Structure formats: structure tokens, C-alpha cells
Amino acid sequence: MSEEEKIGVYICHCGHNIAGTVDVEGVAEWAKSLPNVTVSKDYKFMCSSLGQELIEEDIAEQGLSRVVVAACSPHMHEPTFRGACSRAGLNPYLFEMANIREHASWVHQDDGEAATEKAKSIVSGAVSRARELEPLEPFRAPIDETTLVVGGGIAGINTALEIANAGYKVILVEREPSIGGHMAQFDKTFPTLDCSACILTPKMFDVGNHPNIELMTYSEVEQVDGYVGNFTVRIRKKARMIDVDLCTGCGDCWERCPAKVVDTVYEAGLGYRTAVYRPFPQAVPKYPVIDTESCIYFKNGRCRACEKFCPTDAIKFDQEDEIIVTSVGNIVLATGYDLFDSRRLPQYGYGRLANVFTSLEFERMTNASGPTDGKVLLRDGVTEPKSVAILHCIGSRDKNTNDYCSAICCMAALKFAHLVKEKTDAEVYNFYIDMRTAPKDYETFYNRLMQEGTHFIRGRAAEVTDAARKPEEVGKLIVQAEDTLIGKQRRIPVDMVILMAGMQPRHDSQEVSHRFGIGCSDAGFFNESHPKLDPIATMNAGIFIAGVCQGPKDIPASVSQGAAAASRVLSLIGKGEVEIEPVRAHIDEDRCSGCRICNNLCPYNAIDFLEDLAVSRVNPALCKGCGTCVAACPSQVIDGQHYTFNSIMSQIEGLLWDVRPNGEEKVTFQKTEPV
Amino acid sequence: MVDYKQYHPAWGDRSPVIIGFLCNWCSYRAADLAGTSRFGYPATLRDIRIMCTGRLDPTFVIKALREGADGVLVMGCHPGQCHYEEGNFKAMRRVALLRRTLSQLGVHPDRVQLGWASAAQGIIFTETVKEMTEKIAKLGPLKWHDNNHDASPHLPPLPEKEATHG
Amino acid sequence: MGDKPKLAIYWASSCGGCEIAILAIHEKILDVADYFDFIFCPCILDFKRSDIEALEDGEIAVTLFNGAIRTDENLEMAELLRRKSQVLVAFGSCATEGCAPGLANFNDREQMMNFIYKDAPTVVNPEGIIPLEAIQVAEGELELPGFWNTVKTLDQVVPVEYYLPGCPPEAKWIEALVEAVMAGELPPPGTVVGMDVTVCDECPREREEKKISHFYRPYEIIPDPDKCLLDQGLFCAGIATRAGCGALCPSVNMGCRGCYGPNEGVIDGGAKLISALASVLDANSPEEIDKILDTLPDPAGYFYRFGLAHSMLHRTRLEMENGQKMAAQIKETPRLDPKLKD
């Protein structure tokens, strides 16, 4: 069959991106000599509508049966050109992309000759592979209209509300007892100084009361199976030890609870909570949980004070974790971030010098409902500082910790400086590397702060110490830094130091990315499908990301991403069905000998062994097309669609066009019938 | 063009040829990222995109070597990060056994290499190609075809000194 | 007699078992004798090479050619019989895939001569005498056919119509072939006479999902007679070997050796064995993988026991990486880089 194929080859200049290094005209001319190539052209921008029309015309007029476009990565424009083929009536899976930009012109810019030769090989490989391609039809599957949103911070809240308001069901899963995320811990938000709680609480309330939102707090997603439109998720609802049908959230239990523990989550270690607790007054849902690790009853079997005082008998010490298995069509991950642990930089004294605080501690301190009732006080809880140093870039822009910029700390530091000024008479010193105040109105806020009399010292602080060298330093914390604007070392004695700790991926983000089958950067932020054009989607269709889990960003950006994710989900739901790449394994059951080599290899348990027929069978709904079983099958009776044995063997031959020995036999095979 | 004779005289004017098998999700994207970041590397690698390194059939590797490649580089996602959970482990096991088998047939194990690069590790991808190219350059051309076809039926007779008797 | 189609059987580099296997078709041999004019079979008939040369081209209807090609004489006979035959059948493993003679491709001619005539522990040859291809004696020059460095299969030297694998081929497939010829119902050229499934298909042993954590040598354990040998850690090539023998070896507690060659459509049977067996190793770390593989010494020997000459690998490299003669194989077993752990 392959002898009769008519292949069209199109070499893209991509402006100068390819043509600046690769002799594209030369490659196009040369490609005419390849077997089965009937058309070979070069064009300025193949992805333009004119470029695509070129393909469509040739398919119609020249009767092309295969199309090869040599341009950028298939991850960029494979869908574009498949679309062009489709419009001209050619099965889109008969299209093959040759990546001569990312894999040739851009990486061999200093050697045009080598880049051109490599481009020829890539084109030759693609042509050879194209010859062996087979037409395929994508699977179509209906989309489950329910969406799973993981993470109840501002990004997740916004996603959930947008989807729910459009009339579709949402399951919102939150690991902590209440939604709200980091934003619920803040007092003010920059640059408008809006009260964080005032703008967040209504949204939390809406989530809690929305008829389309099923809220599962104190819960975690343990397992995800399936594919876009048809995921099955397993959620563990941790035992709250509270019967939420009976609980009214009155608070009798936590008021009577004798077990006090440091609240490391909501109060950032600055305050206390009881063993049975509701993280904060505006919590949604309003129900408390019993932290069994600090509960006296769970430790030594006595107490049960909460149970005694509960007016509705809602305390249930025997409650067990509940496992919920449900199906959803799309998933949005908005799992947020962890704060950089400032103890990792001992030179700044956090955890050793009492009056060194983290940014989150300071947030709690300035919050009217926080441990100090909103007063700015030293660790002794009574003294107001007379001078405060704010150190930027703690665990950010630092090769020893995180090399990226956490994006929000400059603005948060300005906000802190303002709040210190507002609440005390203290002098404020900001130690910064660069002030990064890019979004709208942020620079105005910076200017305002400069007018408020905050001192800005350009230089990363080297150290915070209590070792005084001069009388005025005694009893103070001394911040040592090089002021790079005046080129001098400075020692500033202060009462309080605030470390602007950076944003880090969640400690378990690698694990979570693995669970959801999406990529994760080295640092641990989830990978978007495309950094510019598709920052919401992931490589796993039907799974989207929003908020800081994708990368450091502020509240408005998280909100926007949440809405964007919702819109992506809604457009899929609106479409009603998904097309799934037909890259699947298929076992020729007539020829399967039942050796069972493949049975154990499938990570999705898509291969069943049929005892009665003694053959194995692939369940196409579960198969994800990795090809592991295809390669392993010792009798070669598993066919891996689109990545068939013949197509890869043929591509190898094509790639090696210039070094292959002459007359080497083709080793792709045509099946013959046994006698 | 790089002069590979400095590594091994047998290269003459040609460069090493390495066939790469890159998984769609991590290493192929790492190669894309190397491109977008303009991280240069030797033009020795000619890659094939497969969905997962689990698709790697040792037949492909032998085929590539037989058809003129001097080496084969298989790259996938880091262990534990495979898009398909554990395809890369299967690739690792296969490469291990394949290298043992090939070494019995006189093929240096360095000619078949395995590596990992996540989609964010363009630089690791680049470094891996550089290192492999250097290793292959030092080993010299594989010349698989010449080797197999040296098996000419018309060999010269055995050395004269052995000819003490008929 | 002269009207009957002519049948020839030739024996190149092989053991002779294939000729005997033909007798295993029992009384069918009478039909064969009846139908064909049996003109050439050096081990039982006195019919000379010159007699074959005297035939018209294509005068022989069918030649069953067994044995690999490793000498000039083998090649000459293969070329001659090809010319004289309408149908040339690669008969048995040696002609089809190289079989045991093909194992010579793990060495070169010099290594082999040295071992056989000088270094083998059972050889006494203090003068180091090695046979020569030609030597001058008083009466003139004496010649032996040229002995090759590399063993080839029949189809690597001449075009072949059909393949009948097996060491030796099973009677039922010989029958099937001669019946097809007699009935004039020849399959398309290139056909392998046999089945297109693997030995597992005919093997009655009970198989489980596979996970191998140790390979055992046959003397190390007494296998359960009802369970899959591979499941018990015994090497068995049945998973990647064409069915047709009726799973003879596994039925006597011995793992399949692979004589029927790879399954239909498989280009390199050894590569498929590597892929399949490696896939089911019960280990994920480089060290553990190597530990299991250490229990399978000589993998190339296991995987290419019958098929080396016909495999894509074909033979061991003749030259070392440094340009020196490939005097010995790479001594060190390659191990995985422990860094591959993460």
C-alpha cells in the first residue's frame, strides 16, 4: 500500500526562526527526491491561513494521501495542521510533523550546515513515518458535567463559583477544615488595602450555600482514574468526629476544650487553638473538627468535655474516615503554596532570635481577629517596636534556596511597611534587591510608601544578629547589609525584623502531580500546557490548574486564573463530548498465545486475561496508549495505534537516510498466511 | 561543522549519528525547551517521539545501530514522574538487559544510553546529548554494516605459519 | 519416471537430523516417493553434483535445503540448487535461521580454529596444526572448501520460497508442505510453514501474571509440572517462539529453546525476548535490576541460541572499538548507572 502514497512536504521558514539557520529552500528541493514525495514546497509561515490553504489545495488538486509539515514542535502546531488536513478531507492522523525549529534551527544556530543536514534527516524520518501511518478515528466520549475543584483558596473558590453559577455541579475538596486558604489569614490586601476578610467571606459563604457546590472540607483526593470527561476520583473525607447534621457551630465545645495547642496552620504558629476547633470565626463550613493528635480523650481515654457540653450531641468520637468514589468530567487543581521555611536561612535568626517574624506571622499579628488583636507587638506580647526592618527575598531569588522571584513579596512588604506606620510610630527599613511592582496601580502604592517615610535600602540583608558592636545596638536586632546605592556596609539596629518568606510549591506537589497525571517543574509548580498560550491547561486533558500551584502570583492573578479555568471547563461541558486521541493498544486475539507477559505491565489495569479463551484483551476505555505492552509482547500481536511497529521502524530508516548502507532490505513486514 | 577526527581518526569527515527515543511528555518537551531557550548542543541526535519510553522495543535500538547509527539515546521522565506511572522503569529494565546482550556481541555498552529529563530540564537534556556525543566520538564509528559484511565468502587463507601440515 | 516432478534434498552445514525428520512422516513417505522423482540426497542416493549441473535450470520441482551456509561449497551448492529448482525450501532451523552452526557468529574464524584445534581442553596438538584451505603436496594442490568467518542462512545467499523451521521440523509441517506441493496449492512465496502464534499457545502449563525476581538454572530447582516454567523463574523462550512443535520441551520440564524461531511478523526474536523478560522483572532500581539480571548469565546465548545468524545482530563485531581485532568479547558486564534511580 505504501508504494502508492502521494506525500506532500511543506518546509516552514517560520520567519527567520528556521530560515535564518536552515537552508529551507534547499531542504524543500532535496525532499522532492524522497520516495513517494509528489509535492515539496517551502513557505514563510505554514501556520498562517495561507500556509494552511496551501496544504488544503494540494490535497484537493494533487490528491495527496499523506502530509508532512516541517516546522515547529508538534506540541505547538500539530493540531493546526491536522485541522487543515481534515478540512481538505484527509484523515488528520495521516499528517506528520517534522520538528526542525526546536530540534534543529534553534539549537544549532552556530552551524547552519549541520542544522540543514539535521533538518533533512528529520524531514526524511517524517516522510518515512508518514508512509506507514494509518487513518484513525478519534474516540468520542460524553463529558460528565460535574467538575472537581481541588483546593479551597481564593483560586479554587472562584473556579467553583464560576462553574456553579453557570448551572453545573462542582465538588470542592479542601484539605483543611475550612475553605479560605491563605487569603483568609490576611488582614489587608495590597495595593488598595481592602480588608481581606471583608472581600473573601462573602465568597466563602456563597460556596458554602451554593446549591450546585458540594463542599468537602477536611478531605483529600486519593486516586484519580479515567480520562477527560470521564474521571473517577476517590476522595477520603477525614473523620471530623463531629456529626455535621447535628452540629450548629455554637462553639460550646471549643470553649470548654482544655487542650491548647499552637496553631501552626491558621495562626502561623503565633497563636493557639483548642483540640476541637474551628480554624477561624468566618470558617466555612462552620463545623469544628477534633484534632485527634492533641485531643486528651484520644490520648488517654478521658476528658470528653466537648461531648458533655455539646447541646446537640454532635460529638462522635467513633466517627471514621469516609471514602467517596464519584465521577467527574473535569478537574481543576488550585492547591496553592507553602510558605518558605525561614529556618532554612539561619543567618536571619528566625526561630533563634525572638523578634524575627515571618511575613505570615506578621499578617496574623496585624489581623484584628489575630492573636494580638491587630496590634503590632514584639514576641513578649506587650512592647510596641520603635523600629522595624523588613527583609525582602527570603527564600526567593537565591540559588541556595529558590532561584525564582515569588512575585508578591515586594508588594506585601510595602503593605507591611504601611501597616507598621499606621499602627505604630516605628521607623521602617525595607531591605530589597529590586522593587518589583509591575501590575496596575502597584507603582503608585510604592510611591505612596516612599512619601510615608519608609526607608528603602537597596541591598539583600546579609545577616540579622543580636551581637551589639556599639552602645546603641545593645538589646536590638542588627540588620547588616550592603547598601548598593551608596556602596557601603550598613548596620541598622531595630526592634523587630519581618522576613518576607517566599512562596513554595506545596511540600507534596510532586506526589499530587503524579496522582493527577500532570507535569511538575523541578521546583514543584505544576506545568501548564503552554507557558504563554495555554497557562491554564495541563498535559493531561481535562485537568486544569489555577492559582499559585502553577507559579507565584498575587490574589488578582489567582482569581483570574480561577475564572479562566472555569471558562475552560465550561467550554468543554458546553461541547458535550470530547474527542480522545485514538492512540490505543489493541491485541489481535486470534494470534494472542496467552503468555501473559503483558498482563502485569499496564499501570491502568486495562489488560484483562480471558481465562476461557486463554487470550488477553485491552479495554480501550482504560488504555492510555503508552505502548508498554506493545513493546513487551513477545509474539508482536499487540498493535500500538499511531505508533505502530512499522511506523517507528520506517522512521528509523528515514532518519538514517545518509548513513544507511545501500540496498539494506526493508524490514517492515507484510503478514503472510500459514499453510 | 565539528571535527570529530580529534576524538577518533576513523570519523574522517563525518559526525557521530545518534538516534534518540524521547518520550512525549518529559524528554521531548525538554528538547523543545532546549530549543526555545536556544541551548545549543551537537547536531548528532536525530530523535523519534514515542508516547512513553515504555514503547521502546529493543528491536528499534538494534535496528538503528544496524542501519548506521553510532549510538542510541533513550530518554524519559524521571522515575516516579512517568506520565504513565512506570513506563520508564520498563525502559530501564529493557535497556539493562539489551546492553548486556549487546556487549556479548562486542557492542560497547556506552553506545546505548538511558537518561531522564523532565519537561522543565532543557539543560539536562542538552548536557546529556553533549556527554553522549563525546563518548560516542571517542569510541569511533560503529560501522555495523561493514562488520557484518566483512563476512565475505572469499576470505584470505589462514596465515602461512600455521601451514605445517596439510 | 521422467514425467514425475523432481525432488531434491541437500545437506549443507547441519547435523543430519533434518533428513531423519523426513522419515518421521511415516507411510506418507510412500506417497512422496510415488509422486516425486527423488533425484538427489547425498546421504542416501548416489547422484553427483555434476548430475545436478547437467539438469536444465528449473528442472527440479522442489528442493528441501537444510543446513546453514558457512563454506564456499555450501554457497556453490545453494546457488546451483537455486538455479535448478522451481521451489527452494529452507528446511529446518539451520537453513532458516542459522541454528547451532550460527552460534559460530559469536566468534570469528580464527578464534574458532584456535579453540577447536589447539585450545580446547580435550585436544592434544603440540605442533599447533590447523587445517588449511589449500596445500601443495607432491601430487599437486589439495583444496578444502573455503571456510567462512560468518555463518549465513540460506536466504542470505539465495532467494528462498518457503521456510520450514524447527530443529528438526515436526512431521506434520513437512507433511503439510509436501501435500501443498502435491496438491498444487502453494502458499505465497515468503511463507513460513507453521503457525502464527507462539509455543505458549500449545503449552498446557498454567500461566499466571508474570513477575520475575530470580532466574534459575534448570539444575537449581525442581519445577512444578503443571505451572508455567517462566513463572517459576526458569528461562523459556516459548513466549517468543513460533508454535508448531506442540510445546515438546516444556512438556518434559525443559524450557523452550526457541528452535522454531520468532513468531510471524517478528524481525528479531532475541530483541522480543529481551523486551518481554525485562518488562516483567520485579525491580525498579538500577541495583535491583542488575541483581536479577546477574542470575541470567549469557543472555545473548539464551536469546540467540537458534537465531543469531538470521537476527538483525547477525554476528559479534569483528573489530574492537579501538580498531583492534575483536579477540574476545567485552569482559565486563555492563551495569546500570545507579544515578538512574531518580
Side-chain angles (χ1 to χ4, degrees):
Chain A
M1 58 152 195
S2 63
E3 277 69 35
E4 303 124 35
E5 302 306 343
K6 286 181 169 180
I7 306 178
V9 177
Y10 302 86
I11 318 286
C12 181
H13 293 226
C14 194
H16 283 291
N17 285 310
I18 297 170
T21 312
V22 170
D23 171 13
V24 284
E25 288 95 349
V27 175
E29 193 52 41
W30 167 86
K32 286 179 183 162
S33 66
L34 291 172
N36 300 75
V37 172
T38 47
V39 175
S40 178
K41 297 174 176 169
D42 60 286
Y43 190 72
K44 208 95 190 144
F45 287 104
M46 279 310 297
C47 61
S48 67
S49 52
L50 287 173
Q52 295 185 52
E53 280 162 23
L54 203 61
I55 299 174
E56 289 172 52
E57 278 163 24
D58 286 349
I59 292 173
E61 287 164 18
Q62 314 261 358
L64 298 182
S65 61
R66 300 284 188 278
V67 170
V68 171
V69 173
C72 50
S73 169
H75 290 298
M76 184 78 73
H77 274 308
E78 191 175 61
T80 311
F81 297 117
R82 278 185 176 173
C85 292
S86 225
R87 284 194 298 279
L90 184 69
N91 184 290
Y93 294 92
L94 300 177
F95 164 77
E96 177 65 14
M97 190 117 192
N99 184 351
I100 60 166
R101 193 180 72 175
E102 280 84 344
H103 292 202
S105 72
W106 276 352
V107 285
H108 310 306
Q109 284 180 318
D110 53 346
D111 191 345
E113 199 189 326
T116 302
E117 286 306 302
K118 183 167 165 184
K120 283 183 185 172
S121 293
I122 297 172
V123 170
S124 165
V127 168
S128 294
R129 173 168 154 76
R131 213 177 287 132
E132 297 294 331
L133 290 176
E134 288 160 12
L136 296 171
E137 289 304 323
F139 297 111
R140 280 171 220 283
I143 294 211
D144 191 312
E145 291 186 351
T146 304
T147 304
L148 171 72
V149 177
V150 185
I154 185 60
I157 286 175
N158 220 49
T159 310
L161 284 175
E162 292 277 352
I163 298 171
N165 287 340
Y168 299 103
K169 293 272 177 216
V170 173
I171 300 171
L172 177 59
V173 174
E174 165 61 48
R175 174 145 65 184
E176 296 298 327
S178 167
I179 57 168
H182 280 103
M183 192 177 166
Q185 294 171 274
F186 304 159
D187 181 45
K188 296 284 189 292
T189 56
F190 58 76
T192 51
L193 300 173
D194 282 304
C195 156
S196 187
C198 310
I199 55 176
L200 177 65
T201 314
K203 282 189 174 277
M204 289 169 58
F205 178 84
D206 286 352
V207 168
N209 291 281
H210 206 295
N212 283 337
I213 298 180
E214 186 181 343
L215 182 57
M216 294 189 196
T217 52
Y218 212 45
S219 304
E220 285 190 69
V221 180
E222 286 191 331
Q223 199 184 326
V224 182
D225 292 313
Y227 52 94
V228 53
N230 301 276
F231 294 106
T232 304
V233 293
R234 186 182 138 103
I235 302 164
R236 176 178 295 270
K237 238 181 165 174
K238 290 175 275 185
R240 283 183 111 93
M241 307 300 163
I242 306 288
D243 185 337
V244 295
D245 292 333
L246 299 174
C247 176
T248 61
C250 69
D252 282 352
C253 54
W254 65 80
E255 277 160 22
R256 300 283 168 42
C257 177
K260 295 270 187 297
V261 285
V262 174
D263 182 355
T264 52
V265 179
Y266 184 70
E267 295 292 4
L270 204 64
Y272 295 88
R273 62 163 169 80
T274 46
V276 53
Y277 72 107
R278 183 167 72 184
F280 53 102
Q282 306 91 330
V284 171
K286 61 191 173 188
Y287 318 114
V289 296
I290 295 177
D291 163 16
T292 53
E293 275 176 31
S294 33
C295 172
I296 296 168
Y297 170 67
F298 278 95
K299 272 198 264 189
N300 58 23
R302 282 194 299 274
C303 182
R304 306 178 82 124
C306 49
E307 191 183 42
K308 272 173 228 140
F309 289 100
C310 178
T312 58
D313 294 330
I315 306 285
K316 302 287 177 214
F317 288 116
D318 57 352
Q319 210 173 55
E320 282 178 3
D321 289 4
E322 202 184 326
I323 302 292
I324 293 147
V325 177
T326 184
S327 39
V328 295
N330 292 283
I331 298 174
V332 179
L333 292 176
T335 50
Y337 68 96
D338 284 341
L339 197 71
F340 173 76
D341 179 7
S342 302
R343 285 181 182 83
R344 283 177 60 196
L345 295 173
Q347 64 268 41
Y348 300 127
Y350 181 70
R352 176 164 55 84
L353 303 172
N355 290 318
V356 177
F357 294 84
T358 67
S359 45
L360 206 53
E361 282 180 314
F362 188 77
E363 287 283 2
R364 293 309 303 150
M365 195 188 287
T366 55
N367 193 307
S369 61
T372 62
D373 300 328
K375 293 194 196 84
V376 176
L377 298 173
L378 296 184
R379 197 75 71 172
D380 62 8
V382 290
T383 319
E384 203 170 83
K386 295 206 170 48
S387 50
V388 176
I390 302 174
L391 275 48
H392 293 223
C393 299
I394 303 301
S396 302
R397 305 185 69 194
D398 179 356
K399 280 192 172 165
N400 300 315
T401 54
N402 297 315
D403 55 7
Y404 53 85
C405 167
S406 289
I408 56 122
C409 328
C410 281
M411 284 303 289
L414 293 176
K415 175 183 78 178
F416 288 173
H418 173 84
L419 292 173
V420 173
K421 285 273 181 196
E422 188 182 281
K423 293 178 185 239
T424 71
D425 297 326
E427 289 294 321
V428 182
Y429 302 87
N430 267 48
F431 293 83
Y432 67 101
I433 307 176
D434 300 289
M435 283 307 284
R436 295 188 166 178
T437 58
K440 192 171 91 171
D441 295 339
Y442 285 15
E443 188 74 4
T444 318
F445 189 66
Y446 177 31
N447 288 330
R448 175 177 166 189
L449 260 290
M450 288 200 281
Q451 281 161 16
E452 283 179 4
T454 299
H455 305 282
F456 288 96
I457 296 168
R458 188 175 187 276
R460 183 199 283 274
E463 180 186 31
V464 176
T465 175
D466 56 357
R469 288 191 201 157
K470 298 179 214 159
E472 64 267 29
E473 293 177 353
V474 174
K476 300 267 186 184
L477 293 172
I478 304 104
V479 181
Q480 166 106 30
E482 183 194 350
D483 186 332
T484 59
L485 291 181
I486 57 171
K488 277 192 179 144
Q489 286 289 330
R490 293 183 70 177
R491 286 169 66 84
I492 313 279
V494 293
D495 295 326
M496 176 190 265
V497 171
I498 306 168
L499 301 179
M500 299 309 298
M503 289 172 151
Q504 281 193 159
R506 286 284 185 197
H507 58 92
D508 57 353
S509 73
Q510 299 274 7
E511 204 183 308
V512 172
S513 74
H514 190 44
R515 193 175 310 152
F516 286 87
I518 61 171
C520 187
S521 74
D522 261 2
F525 293 113
F526 298 152
N527 282 348
E528 58 283 319
S529 173
H530 189 276
K532 286 156 202 84
L533 300 177
D534 206 359
I536 302 297
T538 64
M539 299 303 173
N540 199 349
I543 300 191
F544 303 92
I545 47 178
V548 184
C549 65
Q550 181 254 352
K553 58 179 64 66
D554 57 14
I555 292 169
S558 296
V559 170
S560 309
Q561 280 203 334
S567 128
R568 293 295 299 272
V569 168
L570 289 171
S571 68
L572 275 169
I573 295 175
K575 221 170 142 193
E577 62 171 19
V578 273
E579 280 190 1
I580 300 156
E581 284 259 294
V583 178
R584 292 287 180 278
H586 171 77
I587 297 179
D588 180 350
E589 285 171 29
D590 289 342
R591 296 191 54 213
C592 173
S593 305
C595 68
R596 306 196 67 176
I597 282 283
C598 60
N599 288 185
N600 224 0
L601 302 181
C602 182
Y604 309 104
N605 295 319
I607 305 176
D608 296 320
F609 183 67
L610 310 179
E611 295 279 356
D612 47 341
L613 300 173
V615 296
S616 298
R617 179 180 289 171
V618 175
N619 178 347
L622 295 177
C623 172
K624 296 208 173 189
C626 65
T628 301
C629 61
V630 182
C633 176
S635 45
Q636 203 155 304
V637 298
I638 311 186
D639 177 36
Q641 291 168 344
H642 209 52
Y643 292 89
T644 58
F645 181 78
N646 282 358
S647 72
I648 298 174
M649 290 293 266
S650 188
Q651 190 175 2
I652 295 171
E653 289 173 4
L655 283 170
L656 296 170
W657 68 281
D658 56 338
V659 290
R660 281 188 79 202
N662 287 335
E664 190 73 11
E665 74 282 17
K666 256 189 90 70
V667 290
T668 50
F669 79 99
Q670 300 289 318
K671 170 142 171 40
T672 56
E673 291 302 321
V675 283
Chain B
M1 288 263 187
V2 184
D3 181 11
Y4 286 97
K5 283 198 293 293
Q6 56 176 313
Y7 294 101
H8 196 290
W11 288 114
D13 293 331
R14 83 176 190 89
S15 310
V17 174
I18 300 168
I19 288 287
F21 290 94
L22 308 182
C23 78
N24 182 52
W25 306 94
C26 294
S27 53
Y28 191 89
R29 281 163 203 268
D32 277 0
L33 182 63
T36 33
S37 317
R38 313 296 198 277
F39 295 150
Y41 54 87
T44 48
L45 185 78
R46 304 174 183 187
D47 59 74
I48 291 175
R49 179 167 69 126
I50 46 182
M51 291 310 276
C52 175
T53 47
R55 178 67 185 93
L56 183 82
D57 185 331
T59 314
F60 301 153
V61 179
I62 298 172
K63 167 86 174 169
L65 295 175
R66 183 189 161 95
E67 304 264 326
D70 302 297
V72 171
L73 174 63
V74 181
M75 287 193 80
C77 313
H78 286 275
Q81 290 177 32
C82 173
H83 184 80
Y84 302 100
E85 323 266 333
E86 47 200 26
N88 50 2
F89 290 128
K90 274 93 172 186
M92 176 154 61
R93 300 175 201 158
R94 288 178 197 150
V95 168
L97 189 50
L98 176 62
R99 279 162 33 119
R100 284 171 182 243
T101 308
L102 287 176
S103 80
Q104 284 186 276
L105 287 138
V107 179
H108 196 283
D110 278 355
R111 292 198 186 269
V112 180
Q113 285 186 34
L114 180 66
W116 318 125
S118 80
Q121 292 174 325
I123 197 75
I124 289 189
F125 172 80
T126 309
E127 290 305 315
T128 308
V129 177
K130 280 184 191 164
E131 277 168 31
M132 171 129 190
T133 301
E134 204 178 310
K135 276 186 186 163
I136 298 291
K138 284 178 183 160
L139 286 174
L142 179 65
K143 293 192 286 189
W144 185 293
H145 190 262
D146 297 356
N147 173 61
N148 278 0
H149 291 262
D150 161 82
S152 127
H154 306 292
L155 279 176
L158 284 159
E160 197 61 35
K161 63 178 166 59
E162 311 280 6
T164 46
H165 280 276
Chain C
M1 181 174 161
D3 300 339
K4 289 203 277 186
K6 291 185 171 59
L7 173 71
I9 296 177
Y10 187 68
W11 160 352
S13 288
S14 66
C15 68
C18 287
E19 275 85 354
I20 295 162
I22 294 173
L23 294 178
I25 67 174
H26 301 300
E27 69 281 4
K28 203 76 169 184
I29 197 84
L30 299 174
D31 295 342
V32 173
D34 208 29
Y35 183 82
F36 288 107
D37 180 5
F38 197 6
I39 60 158
F40 184 54
C41 182
C43 72
I44 49 171
L45 292 176
D46 184 17
F47 202 81
K48 299 283 189 260
R49 174 171 165 168
S50 55
D51 299 325
I52 300 292
E53 282 167 343
L55 294 172
E56 294 289 320
D57 283 0
E59 204 178 326
I60 303 172
V62 182
T63 294
L64 304 181
F65 192 106
N66 74 73
I69 310 296
R70 79 180 321 171
T71 67
D72 287 348
E73 185 199 19
N74 294 159
L75 175 68
E76 284 162 22
M77 287 308 292
E79 286 172 341
L80 176 64
L81 286 165
R82 171 67 278 179
R83 212 164 53 241
K84 301 297 175 189
S85 312
Q86 289 164 32
V87 171
L88 180 64
V89 180
F91 189 85
S93 277
C94 294
T96 310
E97 47 176 346
C99 195
L103 290 172
N105 289 358
F106 275 111
N107 304 283
D108 63 14
R109 183 176 63 166
E110 196 180 329
Q111 275 175 298
M112 212 161 25
M113 288 292 178
N114 283 341
F115 183 78
I116 293 166
Y117 292 99
K118 294 202 285 200
D119 303 337
T122 50
V123 167
V124 181
N125 182 5
E127 294 159 292
I129 299 166
I130 279 187
L132 291 179
E133 288 178 5
I135 191 158
Q136 207 64 42
V137 289
E139 295 82 359
E141 193 181 59
L142 291 179
E143 272 184 25
L144 282 174
F147 187 86
W148 296 4
N149 222 2
T150 300
V151 175
K152 295 195 172 192
T153 62
L154 184 60
D155 69 351
Q156 284 168 347
V157 296
V158 294
V160 167
E161 270 82 22
Y162 305 117
Y163 302 87
L164 218 165
C167 183
E170 277 301 300
K172 61 176 170 179
W173 300 110
I174 303 175
E175 255 179 68
L177 178 76
V178 294
E179 273 173 4
V181 175
M182 292 191 295
E185 289 165 1
L186 288 169
T191 299
V192 178
V193 181
M195 297 164 84
D196 62 352
V197 288
T198 63
V199 173
C200 295
D201 202 68
E202 297 189 309
C203 178
R205 286 172 180 268
E206 200 179 304
R207 288 179 287 275
E208 310 261 325
E209 287 193 356
K210 297 209 163 22
K211 232 176 204 327
I212 298 176
S213 47
H214 192 106
F215 286 100
Y216 294 97
R217 311 294 293 273
Y219 68 85
E220 287 178 303
I221 55 167
I222 296 170
D224 182 319
D226 300 322
K227 291 204 169 118
C228 170
L229 294 166
L230 203 52
D231 287 351
Q232 300 178 63
L234 284 164
F235 177 81
C236 176
I239 52 170
T241 303
R242 188 187 289 269
C245 62
L248 279 178
C249 297
S251 64
V252 293
N253 260 358
M254 185 54 75
C256 165
R257 328 314 272 159
C259 74
Y260 261 70
N263 194 18
E264 187 71 32
V266 175
I267 283 158
D268 193 302
K272 288 269 72 167
L273 276 170
I274 293 171
S275 195
L277 292 180
S279 296
V280 297
L281 296 183
D282 189 12
N284 281 343
S285 80
E287 291 88 348
E288 287 168 33
I289 292 170
D290 276 326
K291 208 174 135 195
I292 300 178
L293 291 181
D294 286 344
T295 63
L296 186 73
D298 187 18
Y302 276 120
F303 303 151
Y304 293 101
R305 189 194 296 257
F306 288 87
L308 182 63
H310 200 257
S311 72
M312 286 203 290
L313 290 162
H314 193 44
R315 64 156 302 115
T316 193
R317 280 169 55 73
L318 293 164
E319 248 181 43
M320 291 287 274
E321 309 292 349
N322 55 16
Q324 285 174 359
K325 203 166 154 42
M326 176 67 210
Q329 289 141 19
I330 294 166
K331 285 280 187 309
E332 209 161 311
T333 301
R335 295 189 170 270
L336 287 168
D337 185 346
K339 285 204 291 282
L340 288 168
K341 203 174 298 178
D342 45 41

